[in-house]
Amino acid sequence: MDCITGKSPGECNGDIDAQRAESLTNQPMLRNETKEQSENCCTNGLCSHEILHDGETGSQAKAVPNRIMRKASFKLSWWCKGDNSDQHKHDIVSFERGNITAAGRSSKQISLKWESKPQTVLIMTKPNSTSVRILCAEMVRWLNDHKKLNIYVEPRVMGELLSESSYFNFLHTWKDEKEIMSLHTKVDLVVTLGGDGTVLWAASMFKGPVPPVVPFSLGSLGFMTPFYSENYRDCLDSVLRGPISITLRHRLQCHVIRDAAKNEYEMEEPVLVLNEVTIDRGISSFLTNLECYCDNSFVTCVQGDGLILSTTSGSTAYSLAAGGSMVHPQVPGILFTPICPHSLSFRPLILPEHVTIRVQVPFNSRSPAWVSFDGKDRKQLTAGDALVCSMAPWPVPTACQIDSTNDFMRSIHDGLHWNLRKTQSFDGPSGFIMFILTR
Ligand SMILES: NC(=O)c1ccc[n+]([C@@H]2O[C@H](COP(=O)([O-])OP(=O)(O)OC[C@H]3O[C@@H](n4cnc5c(N)ncnc54)[C@H](O)[C@@H]3O)[C@@H](O)[C@H]2O)c1
Ligand SMILES: Nc1ncnc2c1ncn2[C@@H]1O[C@H](COP(=O)(O)OP(=O)(O)OP(=O)(O)O)[C@@H](O)[C@H]1O
C-alpha cells in the first residue's frame, strides 16, 4: 500500500495544515498528488487531501484458488461547495496503509473513489430471518456470477448456505478471533443485510480500521441503513463503480479501569462503540452515583438511572430516548446524556470530540453500576472502578444513498414520521379575494 498526500487546487493550494502535511509527506508511503488528480479536483469541485494507492501487494495480498485477493485502493475527497468557503483547508483524514483513521475529521460531504477495482466483499446478515437468508443467497450468487468477487460470510451463514447447495463452496469465512482481526486487510467492502443492529454488529467485528460499509435496510427502523434491498443490484453496481458519498461515523473507545480510584490500574481491552456506552443502575433499585470528569475537570455527579455517552451516530438511538438532541453524524462531538436524572438542573450536554471522559463509581456509592456497549456486553463497575472514554482513531465509513445530509434527513423523516402534519391553510380575507379573482 502506498499513500499520497494531495495538494489541492486553487484556493486549497498550500493551505493544508503545514505541520501535519509535512509530517504526512515525511512518511515513506506518502507523496504528492498528481496534476491530473488536482485538475479533476478543480473541475468537479472536489478537493483531494490525501489519496490512497494500492502499491505492492506485500503481506496483505493473499492468493486464493482462482483469484488473487488484494485490497483495492481508493481516495477520499471533500465536497467543497461554494468558492468562498475555506473551512476545508485544515481538514485532514489520514491513511495508514490503506486504513481510514481519524487524525482530524471533516464535517464536509466525503466522496470515495476507487483507484483500483474492489475484489473482496464481506456480507454480514441479521440472524433468524428467512427473508434475509434468501436475499443473502441471491446476492452471493449475483456477486459471484456477475461481478467475480471474492466473498466472505460469517461461519453461521456459510453453514446455512452450504446446507442449501454445494454451489456455495467458493465462499470464504474465518475460524477464530485471529482471522477476524486480519479481515480488514482482505476485505474491500462490507455489505450488511438487516437493521441498525446489524451495522453495529458489523462495526464491532473491526477493532481497528473498518472497510466501507454498504448497509441494506431489512429491519423495522433504519437510521444507518439507507439502501433498499429491492434494488440491490443497481446499488452494488454503483458502489463498486464509485465514486460514492460516505459518512465517516466516529466511534468511542472505552476502557474499563478497575480500581481507578485507588490508582491501581488494571485496564481491560478497549471496546469500540458506534452508538453509545451506557452506565446504568442495572437491577439495583438505588440511584446510580457516578462521578464524571471531562479532561480531569469535574463535571457533575450523576444521580439517577444512569448516563449515556453517545456518538453523533448514536444520537438518534438510546440518547434520543433519554432526551438528548439529534445530531448530524458528521458533527464532531460526544453526547453526554443523563438517564432520568434525579436533579431538575441536569440537562444533556454535547462535548467536543477531543475530550476524554471519565466516569467513576465512588467508594460511597450504595450499589455498583453496569456498563454496556452498543446495548451489549454488560460489565459491572464496582466502587472505585472507572470507565474512560474518548474518540476512537478508526471511524466506520458507511456508504450513502445520496449524501450524508440527505440520508440523515430522510432517516429522521421516515423514522420519526416528520412532515405528516398537514400545513395550516390560510383562507382569510386576501385569500378569499384571490380565490374570487382566479375564478
Ligand atoms: N430506550 C431506548 O431507546 C433503548 C434502550 C436500549 C438500547 N437502545 C438502543 O439499541 C441499540 C442496540 O441496537 P440493536 O439493534 O442491537 O438492539 P435492538 O434489537 O434491541 O434494537 C434497538 C432499536 O434501536 C434502533 N437503533 C439502533 N441504533 C440506532 C441509531 N443509531 N439510530 C436510531 N435507532 C437506532 C434499532 O433500529 C432498533 O429499533 C443500542 O445501541 C441503543 O442505542 C435503545
Ligand atoms: N451478524 C450478526 N450476528 C449476530 N447477531 C446479529 C448480527 N446482526 C445483527 N445481530 C443482532 O440481531 C439483532 C437484530 O438485528 P437488527 O437490529 O439488524 O434487526 P431488526 O431488529 O430487525 O432491525 P431494527 O433494529 O431496524 O428493528 C440485534 O440485537 C443485533 O445485535
Side-chain angles (χ1 to χ4, degrees):
M1 292 279 174
D2 172 28
C3 263
I4 301 178
T5 300
K7 268 190 193 160
S8 313
E11 73 206 53
C12 316
N13 249 346
D15 280 323
I16 300 170
D17 179 321
Q19 231 184 340
R20 220 166 195 174
E22 196 192 332
S23 79
L24 285 172
T25 34
N26 283 342
Q27 292 174 27
M29 28 184 215
L30 301 172
R31 63 192 163 82
N32 283 343
E33 187 185 347
T34 61
K35 187 168 172 283
E36 186 194 327
Q37 283 150 350
S38 293
E39 278 167 1
N40 196 16
C41 192
C42 259
T43 49
N44 62 14
L46 299 180
C47 289
S48 298
H49 282 240
E50 267 86 50
I51 293 179
L52 171 71
H53 266 273
D54 193 351
E56 86 278 88
T57 52
S59 59
Q60 301 194 347
K62 188 184 160 213
V64 291
N66 308 326
R67 283 175 202 157
I68 299 282
M69 277 197 200
R70 181 186 301 159
K71 281 274 281 183
S73 61
F74 54 81
K75 75 173 183 180
L76 296 184
S77 46
W78 314 137
W79 294 31
C80 301
K81 284 185 182 163
D83 290 340
N84 299 329
S85 163
D86 63 355
Q87 291 172 35
H88 60 278
K89 288 176 185 169
H90 299 289
D91 293 333
I92 289 183
V93 167
S94 69
F95 300 94
E96 287 170 9
R97 303 187 70 78
N99 302 319
I100 299 175
T101 65
R105 66 179 279 166
S106 170
S107 52
K108 301 285 177 307
Q109 304 289 356
I110 299 168
S111 166
L112 182 153
K113 185 176 177 201
W114 300 105
E115 301 266 287
S116 65
K117 219 172 130 268
Q119 297 178 31
T120 306
V121 173
L122 161 64
I123 304 179
M124 303 213 51
T125 62
K126 171 171 84 168
N128 309 320
S129 161
T130 308
S131 56
V132 166
R133 196 162 42 78
I134 292 170
L135 176 68
C136 177
E138 200 186 306
M139 189 181 276
V140 164
R141 280 177 191 273
W142 183 75
L143 287 172
N144 184 55
D145 298 347
H146 297 272
K147 298 289 161 191
K148 310 282 179 242
L149 294 176
N150 305 301
I151 304 167
Y152 274 84
V153 291
E154 297 157 271
R156 164 185 53 85
V157 177
M158 178 93 160
E160 283 170 7
L161 292 175
L162 282 177
S163 69
E164 211 172 277
S165 159
S166 58
Y167 163 86
F168 294 106
N169 263 328
F170 59 85
L171 286 172
H172 301 270
T173 190
W174 53 87
K175 283 192 292 292
D176 51 31
E177 192 64 23
K178 204 170 143 219
E179 285 185 54
I180 295 178
M181 295 295 282
S182 66
L183 266 183
H184 73 275
T185 63
K186 301 168 191 155
V187 169
D188 293 317
L189 209 58
V190 180
V191 170
T192 63
L193 307 180
D196 293 321
T198 309
V199 179
L200 297 176
W201 189 271
S204 73
M205 293 262 304
F206 295 90
K207 317 268 181 242
V210 192
V213 180
V214 187
F216 282 94
S217 164
L218 285 114
S220 64
L221 197 64
F223 278 78
M224 295 191 284
T225 56
F227 292 97
Y228 297 120
S229 57
E230 301 80 48
N231 313 328
Y232 78 85
R233 291 185 187 86
D234 291 344
C235 294
L236 288 177
D237 248 341
S238 87
V239 168
L240 291 167
R241 215 179 318 116
I244 49 166
S245 271
I246 59 166
T247 303
L248 276 190
R249 297 182 180 275
H250 282 257
R251 296 194 280 183
L252 294 175
Q253 182 165 273
C254 312
H255 282 101
V256 169
I257 304 181
R258 303 289 171 195
D259 283 332
K262 284 195 228 149
N263 284 331
E264 290 173 12
Y265 292 161
E266 188 202 314
M267 284 246 260
E268 296 186 0
E269 278 285 291
V271 184
L272 299 183
V273 293
L274 175 54
N275 264 355
E276 78 286 287
V277 55
T278 304
I279 309 108
D280 61 36
R281 62 187 172 83
I283 54 165
S284 163
S285 46
F286 293 115
L287 298 178
T288 55
N289 191 353
L290 304 169
E291 279 174 6
C292 303
Y293 299 84
C294 177
D295 281 345
N296 287 328
S297 160
F298 180 66
V299 182
T300 186
C301 184
V302 178
Q303 300 196 79
D305 281 357
L307 174 71
I308 300 166
L309 302 176
S310 170
T311 62
T312 45
S313 291
S315 70
T316 45
Y318 198 1
S319 170
L320 179 66
S325 183
M326 284 190 283
V327 189
H328 186 299
Q330 297 269 154
V331 174
I334 302 176
L335 283 80
F336 185 93
T337 313
I339 310 170
C340 299
H342 200 245
S343 146
L344 292 177
S345 59
F346 190 3
R347 289 287 176 266
L349 282 177
I350 301 178
L351 297 165
E353 62 175 353
H354 58 76
V355 299
T356 298
I357 299 167
R358 183 157 51 95
V359 179
Q360 199 157 300
V361 181
F363 285 112
N364 63 359
S365 175
R366 289 189 182 179
S367 60
W370 291 85
V371 57
S372 60
F373 307 91
D374 283 341
K376 303 224 174 330
D377 303 330
R378 277 174 97 68
K379 292 182 181 185
Q380 197 179 36
L381 293 183
T382 53
D385 293 348
L387 176 88
V388 174
C389 188
S390 56
M391 253 259 302
W394 301 285
V396 178
T398 57
C400 301
Q401 166 79 268
I402 301 174
D403 63 44
S404 170
T405 303
N406 265 283
D407 286 11
F408 176 63
M409 289 305 163
R410 203 187 65 185
S411 74
I412 54 180
H413 290 171
D414 294 354
L416 304 179
H417 306 297
W418 274 19
N419 306 322
L420 289 190
R421 188 196 188 284
K422 277 191 180 168
T423 310
Q424 284 180 313
S425 62
F426 181 64
D427 56 358
S430 55
F432 181 71
I433 290 164
M434 283 301 290
F435 174 73
I436 300 289
L437 289 176
T438 52
R439 287 199 76 191

Short mmCIF file of all heavy atoms in Angstrom, two decimals, residues 353-384:
data_model
loop_
_atom_site.label_atom_id
_atom_site.label_comp_id
_atom_site.label_asym_id
_atom_site.label_seq_id
_atom_site.Cartn_x
_atom_site.Cartn_y
_atom_site.Cartn_z
N GLU A 353 -15.18 16.61 20.40
CA GLU A 353 -14.75 15.23 20.20
C GLU A 353 -13.38 14.92 20.79
O GLU A 353 -13.04 13.76 20.97
CB GLU A 353 -14.72 14.93 18.70
CG GLU A 353 -13.72 15.80 17.99
CD GLU A 353 -13.55 15.46 16.52
OE1 GLU A 353 -14.11 14.47 16.08
OE2 GLU A 353 -12.84 16.22 15.86
N HIS A 354 -12.59 15.96 21.11
CA HIS A 354 -11.22 15.67 21.55
C HIS A 354 -11.09 15.39 23.04
O HIS A 354 -10.02 15.09 23.53
CB HIS A 354 -10.29 16.83 21.16
CG HIS A 354 -10.72 18.16 21.73
ND1 HIS A 354 -10.52 18.50 23.04
CD2 HIS A 354 -11.38 19.19 21.17
CE1 HIS A 354 -11.02 19.69 23.26
NE2 HIS A 354 -11.56 20.14 22.13
N VAL A 355 -12.20 15.48 23.79
CA VAL A 355 -12.09 15.33 25.25
C VAL A 355 -12.04 13.85 25.66
O VAL A 355 -12.45 12.96 24.92
CB VAL A 355 -13.27 16.01 26.00
CG1 VAL A 355 -13.29 17.49 25.72
CG2 VAL A 355 -14.60 15.36 25.64
N THR A 356 -11.51 13.66 26.88
CA THR A 356 -11.54 12.32 27.48
C THR A 356 -12.51 12.39 28.65
O THR A 356 -12.40 13.29 29.50
CB THR A 356 -10.13 11.92 27.95
OG1 THR A 356 -9.29 11.87 26.82
CG2 THR A 356 -10.14 10.55 28.63
N ILE A 357 -13.44 11.47 28.67
CA ILE A 357 -14.45 11.50 29.74
C ILE A 357 -14.18 10.32 30.68
O ILE A 357 -13.94 9.20 30.23
CB ILE A 357 -15.87 11.40 29.15
CG1 ILE A 357 -16.13 12.61 28.24
CG2 ILE A 357 -16.93 11.34 30.26
CD1 ILE A 357 -17.35 12.49 27.38
N ARG A 358 -14.19 10.61 31.97
CA ARG A 358 -14.00 9.53 32.97
C ARG A 358 -15.24 9.49 33.86
O ARG A 358 -15.67 10.52 34.39
CB ARG A 358 -12.74 9.81 33.80
CG ARG A 358 -12.42 8.72 34.82
CD ARG A 358 -10.93 8.74 35.19
NE ARG A 358 -10.50 10.08 35.57
CZ ARG A 358 -10.44 10.52 36.82
NH1 ARG A 358 -10.76 9.74 37.82
NH2 ARG A 358 -10.05 11.76 37.09
N VAL A 359 -15.80 8.31 33.99
CA VAL A 359 -16.98 8.13 34.84
C VAL A 359 -16.59 7.11 35.91
O VAL A 359 -16.21 5.99 35.60
CB VAL A 359 -18.18 7.61 34.02
CG1 VAL A 359 -19.40 7.41 34.90
CG2 VAL A 359 -18.49 8.54 32.86
N GLN A 360 -16.66 7.52 37.16
CA GLN A 360 -16.13 6.70 38.24
C GLN A 360 -17.21 6.39 39.27
O GLN A 360 -18.02 7.26 39.58
CB GLN A 360 -15.01 7.51 38.89
CG GLN A 360 -14.05 6.72 39.70
CD GLN A 360 -12.73 7.48 39.81
OE1 GLN A 360 -12.07 7.78 38.80
NE2 GLN A 360 -12.37 7.82 41.03
N VAL A 361 -17.21 5.15 39.76
CA VAL A 361 -18.16 4.81 40.84
C VAL A 361 -17.46 5.12 42.16
O VAL A 361 -16.44 4.50 42.49
CB VAL A 361 -18.55 3.31 40.77
CG1 VAL A 361 -19.56 2.97 41.86
CG2 VAL A 361 -19.10 2.96 39.39
N PRO A 362 -17.96 6.09 42.91
CA PRO A 362 -17.26 6.47 44.14
C PRO A 362 -17.38 5.40 45.22
O PRO A 362 -18.27 4.54 45.16
CB PRO A 362 -17.96 7.76 44.57
CG PRO A 362 -19.28 7.74 43.89
CD PRO A 362 -19.17 6.89 42.68
N PHE A 363 -16.49 5.46 46.21
CA PHE A 363 -16.49 4.45 47.27
C PHE A 363 -17.77 4.51 48.11
O PHE A 363 -18.18 3.52 48.68
CB PHE A 363 -15.25 4.60 48.15
CG PHE A 363 -14.02 4.09 47.46
CD1 PHE A 363 -13.02 4.96 47.05
CD2 PHE A 363 -13.88 2.74 47.18
CE1 PHE A 363 -11.91 4.48 46.39
CE2 PHE A 363 -12.76 2.25 46.51
CZ PHE A 363 -11.78 3.12 46.12
N ASN A 364 -18.38 5.69 48.16
CA ASN A 364 -19.60 5.80 48.99
C ASN A 364 -20.87 5.45 48.21
O ASN A 364 -21.97 5.68 48.69
CB ASN A 364 -19.71 7.20 49.61
CG ASN A 364 -19.86 8.26 48.53
OD1 ASN A 364 -19.86 7.95 47.33
ND2 ASN A 364 -20.00 9.52 48.94
N SER A 365 -20.69 4.88 47.00
CA SER A 365 -21.88 4.53 46.21
C SER A 365 -22.63 3.38 46.90
O SER A 365 -22.03 2.44 47.39
CB SER A 365 -21.43 4.10 44.81
OG SER A 365 -22.52 3.65 44.08
N ARG A 366 -23.97 3.49 46.90
CA ARG A 366 -24.76 2.46 47.58
C ARG A 366 -24.80 1.14 46.81
O ARG A 366 -25.17 0.12 47.37
CB ARG A 366 -26.19 2.96 47.75
CG ARG A 366 -26.30 4.06 48.76
CD ARG A 366 -27.76 4.33 49.02
NE ARG A 366 -27.92 5.41 49.94
CZ ARG A 366 -29.09 5.88 50.33
NH1 ARG A 366 -30.20 5.35 49.86
NH2 ARG A 366 -29.17 6.87 51.19
N SER A 367 -24.49 1.22 45.52
CA SER A 367 -24.56 -0.01 44.72
C SER A 367 -23.58 0.08 43.56
O SER A 367 -23.14 1.18 43.21
CB SER A 367 -25.98 -0.18 44.17
OG SER A 367 -26.28 0.93 43.37
N PRO A 368 -23.23 -1.05 42.95
CA PRO A 368 -22.37 -0.99 41.77
C PRO A 368 -23.15 -0.42 40.58
O PRO A 368 -24.36 -0.24 40.67
CB PRO A 368 -22.00 -2.46 41.52
CG PRO A 368 -23.05 -3.26 42.19
CD PRO A 368 -23.65 -2.42 43.27
N ALA A 369 -22.46 -0.14 39.50
CA ALA A 369 -23.14 0.29 38.26
C ALA A 369 -22.82 -0.74 37.19
O ALA A 369 -21.95 -1.60 37.36
CB ALA A 369 -22.63 1.66 37.85
N TRP A 370 -23.55 -0.64 36.08
CA TRP A 370 -23.34 -1.57 34.97
C TRP A 370 -23.07 -0.78 33.70
O TRP A 370 -23.72 0.22 33.44
CB TRP A 370 -24.58 -2.45 34.77
CG TRP A 370 -24.75 -3.42 35.90
CD1 TRP A 370 -25.36 -3.18 37.09
CD2 TRP A 370 -24.26 -4.74 35.94
NE1 TRP A 370 -25.29 -4.29 37.89
CE2 TRP A 370 -24.63 -5.28 37.20
CE3 TRP A 370 -23.56 -5.57 35.06
CZ2 TRP A 370 -24.31 -6.57 37.59
CZ3 TRP A 370 -23.26 -6.86 35.44
CH2 TRP A 370 -23.62 -7.35 36.70
N VAL A 371 -22.08 -1.27 32.94
CA VAL A 371 -21.77 -0.58 31.70
C VAL A 371 -22.11 -1.51 30.54
O VAL A 371 -21.90 -2.73 30.62
CB VAL A 371 -20.28 -0.12 31.72
CG1 VAL A 371 -19.32 -1.25 31.92
CG2 VAL A 371 -19.91 0.63 30.46
N SER A 372 -22.69 -0.96 29.47
CA SER A 372 -22.95 -1.78 28.28
C SER A 372 -22.54 -1.00 27.03
O SER A 372 -22.56 0.23 27.02
CB SER A 372 -24.40 -2.21 28.21
OG SER A 372 -25.22 -1.09 28.15
N PHE A 373 -22.14 -1.76 26.01
CA PHE A 373 -21.54 -1.18 24.82
C PHE A 373 -22.45 -1.44 23.62
O PHE A 373 -22.68 -2.61 23.28
CB PHE A 373 -20.15 -1.80 24.60
CG PHE A 373 -19.28 -1.70 25.83
CD1 PHE A 373 -19.27 -2.72 26.78
CD2 PHE A 373 -18.51 -0.58 26.05
CE1 PHE A 373 -18.51 -2.62 27.93
CE2 PHE A 373 -17.73 -0.47 27.20
CZ PHE A 373 -17.73 -1.50 28.14
N ASP A 374 -22.97 -0.41 23.03
CA ASP A 374 -23.96 -0.56 21.95
C ASP A 374 -25.04 -1.55 22.36
O ASP A 374 -25.47 -2.43 21.58
CB ASP A 374 -23.28 -1.01 20.63
CG ASP A 374 -22.56 0.14 19.94
OD1 ASP A 374 -22.88 1.31 20.24
OD2 ASP A 374 -21.71 -0.13 19.08
N GLY A 375 -25.46 -1.46 23.61
CA GLY A 375 -26.55 -2.30 24.12
C GLY A 375 -26.14 -3.74 24.41
O GLY A 375 -27.01 -4.57 24.67
N LYS A 376 -24.82 -4.02 24.39
CA LYS A 376 -24.41 -5.42 24.60
C LYS A 376 -23.26 -5.49 25.62
O LYS A 376 -22.76 -4.47 26.08
CB LYS A 376 -23.93 -6.01 23.27
CG LYS A 376 -24.95 -5.96 22.15
CD LYS A 376 -24.98 -7.27 21.40
CE LYS A 376 -26.05 -7.39 20.35
NZ LYS A 376 -27.28 -6.68 20.51
N ASP A 377 -22.85 -6.73 25.91
CA ASP A 377 -21.64 -6.99 26.73
C ASP A 377 -21.64 -6.25 28.06
O ASP A 377 -20.75 -5.45 28.34
CB ASP A 377 -20.36 -6.59 25.96
CG ASP A 377 -20.24 -7.29 24.64
OD1 ASP A 377 -20.75 -8.42 24.54
OD2 ASP A 377 -19.66 -6.71 23.71
N ARG A 378 -22.62 -6.50 28.88
CA ARG A 378 -22.69 -5.79 30.16
C ARG A 378 -21.54 -6.18 31.10
O ARG A 378 -21.22 -7.36 31.23
CB ARG A 378 -24.02 -6.07 30.85
CG ARG A 378 -25.12 -5.20 30.33
CD ARG A 378 -26.44 -5.59 30.91
NE ARG A 378 -26.83 -4.79 32.07
CZ ARG A 378 -27.14 -3.49 32.00
NH1 ARG A 378 -27.08 -2.86 30.85
NH2 ARG A 378 -27.51 -2.84 33.07
N LYS A 379 -20.94 -5.16 31.74
CA LYS A 379 -19.88 -5.40 32.72
C LYS A 379 -20.23 -4.61 33.97
O LYS A 379 -20.77 -3.50 33.88
CB LYS A 379 -18.54 -4.88 32.20
CG LYS A 379 -17.98 -5.65 31.03
CD LYS A 379 -16.63 -5.08 30.65
CE LYS A 379 -16.08 -5.84 29.45
NZ LYS A 379 -14.75 -5.42 29.10
N GLN A 380 -19.86 -5.19 35.12
CA GLN A 380 -20.15 -4.49 36.38
C GLN A 380 -19.02 -3.53 36.72
O GLN A 380 -17.85 -3.85 36.52
CB GLN A 380 -20.30 -5.53 37.50
CG GLN A 380 -21.00 -4.95 38.71
CD GLN A 380 -21.18 -5.98 39.80
OE1 GLN A 380 -20.31 -6.83 40.01
NE2 GLN A 380 -22.28 -5.92 40.52
N LEU A 381 -19.39 -2.36 37.21
CA LEU A 381 -18.39 -1.42 37.74
C LEU A 381 -18.62 -1.33 39.23
O LEU A 381 -19.68 -0.86 39.67
CB LEU A 381 -18.57 -0.02 37.15
CG LEU A 381 -18.31 0.24 35.67
CD1 LEU A 381 -18.50 1.72 35.36
CD2 LEU A 381 -16.90 -0.19 35.28
N THR A 382 -17.67 -1.81 40.02
CA THR A 382 -17.84 -1.72 41.48
C THR A 382 -17.17 -0.44 41.97
O THR A 382 -16.47 0.24 41.20
CB THR A 382 -17.25 -2.96 42.18
OG1 THR A 382 -15.92 -3.11 41.73
CG2 THR A 382 -18.02 -4.22 41.83
N ALA A 383 -17.36 -0.15 43.25
CA ALA A 383 -16.84 1.10 43.81
C ALA A 383 -15.34 1.20 43.52
O ALA A 383 -14.59 0.25 43.75
CB ALA A 383 -17.10 1.13 45.31
N GLY A 384 -14.94 2.34 42.99
CA GLY A 384 -13.52 2.56 42.67
C GLY A 384 -13.21 2.31 41.21
O GLY A 384 -12.19 2.78 40.70
#
